[in-house]
Each structure stands twice: as structure tokens, then as C-alpha cells.
Amino acid sequence: MVPIIVLGGIYGGISTPTEAAAVAVVYAFVIEGFVIKSLDWVTVYEILKNSAVISSSVFLVVIMATALGQVFVLLGLPDMMVQMLLGISDKTYVLLPIIILFLLVMGTFMDALANILIFAPLLLPVVTKIGVDPVHFGIIMIINISMGFCTPPVGVNLFIGSGLSSVPIEKLSKAVLPFLLSMIVSLLIITFFPGLSLWLLK
């Protein structure tokens, strides 16, 4: 029942993933504490402490990545990169793979939000000029940047996974490689077959 409520709320647009996660936590607390009765206050304290440590590590990563993004803006790096891309080619099949590679690299060093805030306004005029639909580019960019959650050194999902499983980041980074390769293949298919993303708009 709860998975239906949690996932149904997310996919139905009723709740955000964060709100759905809060519902799941409350449900788990009620079941474990009052139905199964396997929780005591010492266990609750340990759970809260571990959650705080994991959340803090994630926020530190986000803070540093956002700060790095601001440094890039001050140095004028985004503008230089865009001008360089336009100077290379104006062909879609040439420029899009370059942009994908560029965003993949930036996703390894910067938080997804920082990437979107910095590069989306700069790259959008470039891709629209070569005939790429803005919605299609938005999908490409979100999928592309989302891979950064699983790539070191700023892979938030890696830090969370490492914190929860006590597996070293280095070992997790190797384990996710097959999944990253499959995501890259999927991204290329979506990139060069825009109909897969835009058919609902037609």
C-alpha cells in the first residue's frame, strides 16, 4: 500500500520526491515503533544521528560544487566555452556530441543545480540556433547532468551509497561503470532520435 502511495504521489504529481520520502519515513517509524515495537529511544537517536551525518556530507558536496560554479562564472569560463563551441561547428550531429561530452565532464565536478543554472541559459541559444527543440535539449541536459550523481569526485549518490553501505567510494565508482555506459547509450539514442522525447507534443 505504501509503495503505491509513495510512487503514485510522485508519478501523479501530487507530491515531490522529498514529500513522498517523508511519508515513507513516518510510516516506517509508526510500524517499527508501535506495530512491530522494534524501536526504542536509543535506536531512534542512533538513526537520527546517522541521518544527520549522511545529510551533512551531501550538503557539503552541494555547497562546494555551487561555490565552484560561482567561481567559474566570475572567471567567465561559461562564456568562453560557449564561444568555443560555436567556433567549432554549426552542425547538429557535430555540436550535440560535443555538448554532451562537455556536460558529462562538468557533471563530475559540479552539482546538477549549479550546472543547470550556469549552462542552460548559455547553451540554449546555441542549440536553438542549430535547430534543436528547446524541450528536447532540456531532456538531454537533465539526463546528461543526472549522470553526475554517480560519477566521482562530486557524485552525491556515491557519497550516500558509501555512507549507507560503508563501501569505499573507489569501489562504488568501479561498480557503477556498467550502469553509466548503459545511460550514455540511452542518452545518445534520445539525442539523435528526438521523436522519442517530443512525440507527445505533436
Side-chain angles (χ1 to χ4, degrees), residues 92 96 131-133 135-137 139-140 188-202:
T92 304
L96 278 181
V132 178
D133 186 278
V135 175
H136 184 214
F137 177 68
I139 294 172
I140 293 172
L188 291 175
I189 293 173
I190 291 171
T191 299
F192 292 106
F193 296 93
L196 295 173
S197 305
L198 304 176
W199 66 275
L200 285 175
L201 300 178
K202 297 180 180 179

Side-chain angles (χ1 to χ4, degrees), residues 39-172:
L39 282 181
D40 53 35
W41 289 113
V42 175
T43 307
V44 171
Y45 170 76
E46 290 296 324
I47 291 172
L48 292 175
K49 184 178 71 173
N50 292 335
S51 298
V53 171
I54 294 172
S55 299
S56 300
S57 66
V58 173
F59 279 114
L60 284 174
V61 172
V62 172
I63 290 169
M64 295 307 296
T66 305
L68 180 60
Q70 295 300 316
V71 171
F72 284 164
V73 171
L74 292 175
L75 293 176
L77 181 62
D79 291 317
M80 291 190 305
M81 296 302 272
V82 170
Q83 293 301 321
M84 182 185 72
L85 289 173
L86 283 174
I88 293 174
S89 176
D90 59 354
K91 304 295 184 183
T92 304
Y93 59 85
V94 174
L95 200 54
L96 278 181
I98 294 174
I99 291 175
I100 287 174
L101 181 60
F102 169 69
L103 290 175
L104 282 174
V105 172
M106 298 311 296
T108 63
F109 295 99
M110 293 172 56
D111 177 63
L113 180 60
N115 268 306
I116 293 171
L117 292 176
I118 294 171
F119 295 113
L122 295 171
L123 292 174
L124 186 59
V126 178
V127 295
T128 52
K129 186 176 180 180
I130 60 175
V132 178
D133 186 278
V135 175
H136 184 214
F137 177 68
I139 294 172
I140 293 172
M141 188 169 192
I142 293 299
I143 296 174
N144 204 325
I145 291 174
S146 296
M147 294 183 195
F149 287 111
C150 301
T151 54
V154 192
V156 176
N157 286 0
L158 293 179
F159 281 90
I160 294 175
S162 177
L164 291 174
S165 63
S166 300
V167 177
I169 294 274
E170 296 80 7
K171 190 172 181 179
L172 283 178

